[in-house]
Amino acid sequence: MKRIKIKQPHLNAGQEMILTARHYDPFAVLGLQRSENTARVCVFSPTAEEISILPGDLKLTRIPESDFFEWSGKSADIDDRYQLKQIDASGKESVTYDPYCFPPQLLDFDLHLFAEGKHWHIYRILGAHLHTVDGVSGVLFASWAPSAERVSIIGDFNDWDGRRHPMRSRGSTGVWELFIPGLEAGCLYKFEIRNVNSGQILQKTDPYGQQFEIRPKTASIVTRDDKYIWQDAIWMQQRLTYDWLHQPVSIYELHLGSWHRDERGNFLNYREIAHRLVDYISTTGFTHIELLPITEHPLDASWGYQTTGYFAPTSRFGDADDFHYFVDYLHQHNIGILLDWVPAHFPKDVHGLANFDGSALYEHEDPRQGEHRDWGTLIYNYGRKEVKNFLLSSALFWLDEFHLDGLRVDAVASMLYLDYSRDAHDWLPNIHGGNENIEAIEFLRELNSVTHAEHPGTMVIAEESTSWPQVTRPTNIGGLGFSMKWNMGWMHDTLDYMSKDPIHRHYHHNQLTFGLLYLFSENFVLPFSHDEVVHGKSSMLYKMPGDEWQKFANLRLLYTYMFTYPGKKLLFMGCEIAQGHEWNHDRALDWHLLQYPLHQGVKTLVGDLNKIYKQHSALNEYDFERRGFEWIDCNDTDQSVLSYLRRSDDETVIIILNFTPVPRENYRIGVPEDGTYKEILNSDSEFYAGSNVSNGVNIAAQKISWMNRPYSLSLTLPPMAGIVLKKA
């Protein structure tokens, strides 16, 4: 049991402040103090009975009835870097260097850049890092806490006692540091902070921590130096010139905790998941995966979106090297990796960023600016340079240290608007009286400028659900600079249309055509994401109307529409096997469904859609440009049929979609060229468990002018299905 000392007349004011854990400058009291030819050493150690200085075996004297020990003597008798030999009450002996005999370690230049918000790699400076000083190894701790009176390192190495390792203040920077010799990777730690105004004492995990205990425990863990040997050099070299604007991008979104589990229902390791995922992607054909946040988080049910560890892959699935392997293995098999990243808000957990140093440090103090009422979370103060630097450094961390190929930025709309989801009198306007969050806008522009400059070929994708202009346009012309944004309007209109009974669809035909009015104003991703298969919204399969046959036919038609419509593609896990249940983060997907032909048929179709999407440049080269798309007929509301062309510089494909369960015989469409056409995909094929209504191998164009085109085809349109044609 720790002995709590009360004030003793033998202690001076500085020692009294150390004893009560209030001293902002412990180096003025502890450690070595030299004065001309004399020297003095003061040590605070609640566990020691005897202490000596090595070399020289200079015995320290205990200040009566205290845990302070002192020595004084000639300056020449003691080295600058000395060790302390301590003997505890049980007679156990330990020898360590005194942390308070080492000078400051952080460079003034690093601290200056951080204060300016311009230190892109501040995660290599702040936090906890293995470090060597004058040949002595240990751990250098550093944290930003400008409203602290005192900051200490507490951990399993000092009985979590905030009196034993108070840190050195670096003045007006608000940064505190301490080098503790002898510590190694694997030790547990937190920062204990005393607020300068209130005296409140808080125990906080490291904002820059790179490993954490598995929930419900919350301590940070000192990590070893990164010695992972990467094998993805070919991928990384090719990425430098990767032209995602004109290349296929097909994203499989997944939650690592519920994609697969072991036989007992436990989480798999990153390495196990990597091998299963590569095997699976080889059959489904996606170009990229997107991980729901694997940044460390305390609550499984948040799916990772309430992050507490912005520099740490969650320990649920292994350590950092395991995640290195995960990324490396996927890259070696030509699969890109995107990460959901959350700079819009953070949770109120007492061990995290909230009220970090007893003040509103990372968040705004006024809840009208600093709190998301809907989510019960806090909003970052983007106008504070150190906070902006924290977030920018986190973004670069994942691209630098883990070779990730991009980020999907969550909840961008909530960042852009000061009145997002707020009542009329529950928000504060900007300096111009408007509702735009000027600081967040500047942060997002800088995020995109820096990441694209530092890592060419990577993508930053916005989940932005409003009509904010120029989200994906360059910052130098007033845009936000994102690579792409989710097309939420298309997604909502399409799903609403598909939920209608086919007999009523002709009244809602405009829901399929309206999107072309704004389609090329941004670089769009077409998302059927996790948000669409939870909270009572039903699975993708059960959004579809009709009996079992119609539900599956509708779903195959929907995916055919998505993969042939302009824009990059995103599909959440389980949607590709037509899972019936909504997604549940607490259990694996219903993989047993693949034994049934209808479910296997949907999976096979998705694989073939990915295949033609990647093989035919007409379907991907001009996803973001008008020249890549042309209506053949968008006005056939009576029969609920759409037909259009997709083009590249080298080829043209034709898409015809029948949104009713009625086969259409002798359906004529105009085509631009004479010749023979063939079906390269038919979602009603028997290969997909469809009814196999087909046009055969070859379809000859006829010199019959139709739809303002010189030639035409007479087709049989399969029921509730899409066909893709290409000139032979």
Side-chain angles (χ1 to χ4, degrees):
M1 180 180 293
K2 293 183 287 188
R3 292 178 292 175
I4 305 299
K5 298 296 181 182
I6 62 174
K7 184 175 181 179
Q8 297 293 328
H10 309 287
L11 302 182
N12 61 37
Q15 291 167 338
E16 189 67 43
M17 292 179 72
I18 294 292
L19 182 63
T20 56
R22 295 184 292 114
H23 210 302
Y24 71 94
D25 185 15
F27 282 79
V29 178
L30 301 175
L32 175 62
Q33 315 292 326
R34 293 189 188 274
S35 177
E36 296 183 0
N37 295 324
T38 62
R40 176 181 169 276
V41 172
C42 180
V43 175
F44 175 75
S45 179
T47 61
E49 292 294 323
E50 298 179 18
I51 304 179
S52 299
I53 295 172
L54 301 177
D57 200 24
L58 307 174
K59 186 174 178 62
L60 280 74
T61 301
R62 183 193 291 270
I63 297 176
E65 298 190 25
S66 80
D67 290 327
F68 286 93
F69 297 77
E70 291 185 316
W71 171 89
S72 60
K74 294 180 180 179
S75 184
D77 290 342
I78 186 169
D79 294 340
D80 287 338
R81 309 288 172 260
Y82 57 87
Q83 293 178 294
L84 299 174
K85 181 176 71 175
Q86 302 191 44
I87 300 174
D88 65 18
S90 68
K92 182 180 178 181
E93 180 180 300
S94 63
V95 177
T96 60
Y97 282 89
D98 186 355
Y100 298 96
C101 73
F102 292 90
Q105 297 300 301
L106 301 183
L107 299 178
D108 289 339
F109 183 64
D110 286 323
L111 297 178
H112 169 75
L113 286 179
F114 174 61
E116 291 294 311
K118 298 294 184 182
H119 201 310
W120 309 141
H121 301 101
I122 193 63
Y123 65 83
R124 297 173 183 168
I125 307 299
L126 299 184
H129 301 279
L130 297 180
H131 189 67
T132 301
V133 183
D134 297 336
V136 179
S137 61
V139 176
L140 176 59
F141 297 91
S143 189
W144 178 58
S147 291
E149 178 183 26
R150 181 266 306 172
V151 181
S152 297
I153 303 297
I154 58 174
D156 55 3
F157 47 86
N158 65 9
D159 297 325
W160 303 93
D161 185 347
R163 300 172 300 164
R164 294 178 59 181
H165 287 103
M167 302 175 75
R168 166 188 271 124
S169 169
R170 295 303 301 268
S172 62
T173 65
V175 172
W176 301 72
E177 66 160 282
L178 184 66
F179 172 65
I180 304 182
L183 295 187
E184 298 177 342
C187 65
L188 306 178
Y189 72 99
K190 287 186 179 182
F191 295 110
E192 184 176 276
I193 302 169
R194 180 186 175 98
N195 180 265
V196 67
N197 296 312
S198 67
Q200 180 186 15
I201 295 176
L202 308 104
Q203 294 186 354
K204 295 289 189 175
T205 53
D206 184 357
Y208 291 87
Q210 296 185 21
Q211 187 177 351
F212 294 89
E213 291 184 292
I214 296 178
R215 48 80 185 111
K217 297 180 180 180
T218 59
S220 307
I221 303 174
V222 176
T223 58
R224 60 183 178 272
D225 289 337
D226 181 9
K227 295 183 179 178
Y228 185 82
I229 300 174
W230 289 91
Q231 305 293 322
D232 65 347
I234 294 175
W235 174 273
M236 295 298 286
Q237 184 62 36
Q238 291 174 342
R239 196 180 75 184
L240 292 174
T241 56
Y242 175 51
D243 181 15
W244 47 263
L245 279 166
H246 303 103
Q247 294 291 322
V249 176
S250 174
I251 303 166
Y252 185 59
E253 186 192 31
L254 75 152
H255 176 254
L256 287 185
S258 56
W259 184 63
H260 272 280
R261 293 196 175 186
D262 69 14
E263 294 76 11
R264 297 180 299 278
N266 298 320
F267 292 137
L268 300 174
N269 182 275
Y270 288 115
R271 296 173 186 255
E272 297 174 276
I273 300 171
H275 284 264
R276 295 192 186 194
L277 197 52
V278 164
D279 291 343
Y280 190 70
I281 296 298
S282 70
T283 64
T284 51
F286 294 92
T287 65
H288 292 72
I289 65 163
E290 180 182 315
L291 301 175
L292 269 63
I294 53 89
T295 40
E296 192 60 87
H297 50 281
L299 181 66
D300 290 1
S302 80
W303 314 333
Y305 288 98
Q306 295 201 9
T307 294
T308 52
Y310 274 74
F311 298 85
T314 177
S315 296
R316 290 167 174 80
F317 315 118
D319 62 19
D321 265 1
D322 295 326
F323 188 60
H324 282 131
Y325 181 90
F326 175 91
V327 176
D328 199 6
Y329 191 74
L330 266 65
H331 279 177
Q332 292 176 54
H333 291 83
N334 297 312
I335 301 169
I337 302 142
L338 309 174
L339 174 66
D340 269 15
W341 184 68
V342 191
H345 61 117
F346 60 95
K348 297 179 180 179
D349 296 66
V350 294
H351 67 275
L353 293 179
N355 194 41
F356 183 75
D357 61 358
S359 71
L361 185 61
Y362 287 86
E363 67 271 32
H364 290 275
E365 187 170 8
D366 191 322
R368 291 175 295 176
Q369 294 175 289
E371 185 176 353
H372 275 305
R373 313 290 197 195
D374 293 349
W375 305 326
T377 54
L378 300 174
I379 301 170
Y380 284 104
N381 183 348
Y382 305 105
R384 195 157 194 171
K385 293 178 180 179
E386 297 91 344
V387 174
K388 182 178 69 172
N389 203 152
F390 167 79
L391 293 169
L392 290 171
S393 181
S394 171
L396 287 171
F397 171 81
W398 296 99
L399 307 181
D400 288 333
E401 306 299 326
F402 289 102
H403 292 195
L404 295 189
D405 303 295
L407 304 171
R408 176 266 194 183
V409 182
D410 181 64
V412 170
S414 75
M415 300 171 67
L416 295 174
Y417 300 96
L418 294 167
D419 59 347
Y420 180 86
S421 193
R422 291 182 180 274
D423 295 333
H425 302 292
D426 192 31
W427 62 281
L428 297 178
N430 62 36
I431 58 173
H432 306 296
N435 68 341
E436 301 87 358
N437 189 332
I438 295 171
E439 291 83 6
I441 293 165
E442 290 307 310
F443 162 72
L444 291 171
R445 286 173 173 160
E446 190 164 5
L447 166 71
N448 289 310
S449 297
V450 171
T451 53
H452 289 141
E454 293 284 316
H455 294 279
T458 60
M459 299 176 285
V460 184
I461 302 171
E463 185 211 14
E464 202 287 304
S465 55
T466 74
S467 56
W468 187 279
Q470 299 195 99
V471 172
T472 61
R473 296 300 178 253
T475 58
N476 61 0
I477 61 169
L480 295 182
F482 282 97
S483 311
M484 292 174 254
K485 68 170 280 187
W486 281 13
N487 194 337
M488 309 294 277
W490 174 89
M491 179 271 295
H492 285 299
D493 286 347
T494 299
L495 291 181
D496 188 59
Y497 176 88
M498 294 299 296
S499 71
K500 304 267 193 291
D501 189 296
I503 199 171
H504 301 302
R505 284 178 176 169
H506 68 284
Y507 296 114
H508 304 276
H509 198 72
N510 66 302
Q511 288 187 295
L512 297 182
T513 59
F514 176 74
L516 264 297
L517 296 178
Y518 60 84
L519 181 61
F520 302 108
S521 63
E522 300 279 7
N523 302 334
F524 281 119
V525 175
L526 310 178
F528 293 136
S529 74
H530 63 282
D531 280 329
E532 307 317 313
V533 292
V534 290
H535 302 324
K537 295 179 184 177
S538 295
S539 66
M540 292 295 287
L541 179 65
Y542 283 98
K543 293 179 192 295
M544 304 296 113
D547 58 20
E548 182 182 64
W549 181 88
Q550 289 199 22
K551 288 184 187 300
F552 278 91
N554 266 304
L555 192 60
R556 295 193 301 267
L557 171 59
L558 173 62
Y559 292 162
T560 304
Y561 176 46
M562 177 178 77
F563 273 87
T564 58
Y565 192 86
K568 308 309 180 185
K569 326 299 177 187
L570 180 141
L571 193 63
F572 184 58
M573 67 179 199
C575 298
E576 82 284 5
I577 64 172
Q579 178 160 304
H581 293 114
E582 286 189 349
W583 169 52
N584 182 345
H585 69 272
D586 274 334
R587 50 175 287 193
L589 297 179
D590 295 332
W591 293 108
H592 66 278
L593 294 174
L594 289 175
Q595 66 185 302
Y596 303 111
L598 285 168
H599 292 275
Q600 180 61 49
V602 173
K603 176 177 176 286
T604 302
L605 173 67
V606 170
D608 285 351
L609 285 168
N610 266 313
K611 183 177 180 180
I612 68 165
Y613 173 59
K614 291 188 291 187
Q615 286 182 345
H616 294 280
S617 61
L619 292 173
N620 62 65
E621 186 171 345
Y622 295 124
D623 269 330
F624 307 138
E625 299 177 49
R626 292 186 183 279
R627 57 178 161 168
F629 178 90
E630 183 180 341
W631 285 117
I632 296 174
D633 186 8
C634 63
N635 296 313
D636 191 356
T637 59
D638 289 341
Q639 299 183 88
S640 296
V641 174
L642 285 181
S643 53
Y644 48 88
L645 303 174
R646 292 296 312 279
R647 283 199 172 102
S648 67
D649 291 339
D650 301 320
E651 65 174 0
T652 300
V653 299
I654 298 170
I655 297 94
I656 308 98
L657 307 168
N658 178 11
F659 290 92
T660 69
V662 179
R664 306 288 181 189
E665 301 286 347
N666 301 312
Y667 190 91
R668 187 169 294 276
I669 66 164
V671 293
E673 297 180 79
D674 194 8
T676 301
Y677 291 77
K678 63 178 181 179
E679 283 186 355
I680 59 174
L681 186 132
N682 181 337
S683 70
D684 189 50
S685 167
E686 63 183 347
F687 294 111
Y688 314 130
S691 58
N692 211 36
V693 174
S694 171
N695 288 277
V697 177
N698 296 313
I699 312 160
Q702 299 172 325
K703 194 171 177 51
I704 300 175
S705 178
W706 203 260
M707 299 175 178
N708 296 317
R709 300 179 188 278
Y711 303 96
S712 59
L713 301 174
S714 179
L715 301 171
T716 297
L717 302 188
M720 209 86 77
I723 59 175
V724 183
L725 308 177
K726 186 176 184 298
K727 188 178 174 184

